[in-house]
Amino acid sequence: MRRLTGLTLALLLLTLSACALFPNRDPVNINVVGIEPLQSQDLEVRFAVKLRVQNPNETAIDYNGVALDLEVNGRPLASGVSDQQGSIPRFSETVLMIPVSVSAFSVLRQTLGLSQTQSLDNLPYVLRGKLAGGLFGTMRFVDRGTLDLPNAAATW
């Protein structure tokens, strides 16, 4: 029993010291800077979401994939993935384009969720995603804001 306690304590100390080896990183700043239409299929609409990713750290951020989920007005609307890979140098920024798909059912769900008096101006959105970076390098992010879609009904 005493040996087990000593082994557990040693493993705990080893784990804590291993965490100290990983550099402290400030969170990346990610903002939606644009949405462009892409060629769509039968019952879906596709867009390219442009994200500005800013690295406020002293070391580069390497990534090898991006995933996004977009909620509008509290309901899921679009999702997308990309196998892009690259590096964002220290104290630098880049713009990533991620294709996302919006199914006709998501559009219908959004339309039914809007009250008859609610316009398409200033709809709240939440964008959740991750920059994949291996076992300890994956960075999750959230961006919140409002969308102004005055002509969206004509598009769908």
Side-chain angles (χ1 to χ4, degrees):
M1 187 66 169
R2 184 177 230 167
R3 185 178 280 174
L4 183 61
T5 304
L7 181 61
T8 303
L9 183 60
L11 285 174
L12 179 63
L13 289 173
L14 182 61
T15 302
L16 290 174
S17 64
C19 290
L21 295 176
F22 294 116
N24 291 333
R25 287 193 174 213
D26 290 325
V28 294
N29 300 315
I30 299 181
N31 296 301
V32 176
V33 294
I35 298 176
E36 296 179 0
L38 294 174
Q39 185 171 351
S40 301
Q41 296 291 321
D42 300 324
L43 291 176
E44 73 175 357
V45 179
R46 293 183 47 80
F47 294 97
V49 174
K50 289 183 176 181
L51 299 177
R52 180 170 310 280
V53 183
Q54 297 176 331
N55 178 7
N57 294 289
E58 295 181 18
T59 58
I61 296 173
D62 297 323
Y63 63 93
N64 59 9
V66 185
L68 298 177
D69 287 310
L70 176 64
E71 286 182 11
V72 174
N73 210 26
R75 292 182 173 79
L77 178 66
S79 62
V81 293
S82 174
D83 64 352
Q84 295 176 59
Q85 51 185 314
S87 182
I88 305 166
R90 61 189 289 275
F91 297 106
S92 186
E93 64 182 36
T94 191
V95 174
L96 302 177
M97 290 183 61
I98 297 89
V100 298
S101 299
V102 181
S103 73
F105 299 110
S106 293
V107 172
L108 181 62
R109 199 171 34 242
Q110 286 292 328
T111 304
L112 293 175
L114 291 174
S115 69
Q116 300 222 346
T117 58
Q118 188 175 10
S119 73
L120 295 176
D121 294 333
N122 297 319
L123 289 174
Y125 76 85
V126 178
L127 179 74
R128 290 182 176 83
K130 69 178 179 178
L131 282 174
L135 184 59
F136 295 108
T138 296
M139 303 183 104
R140 297 188 181 278
F141 59 88
V142 176
D143 182 41
R144 290 176 166 79
T146 57
L147 295 174
D148 184 16
L149 303 171
N151 298 324
T155 308
W156 295 330

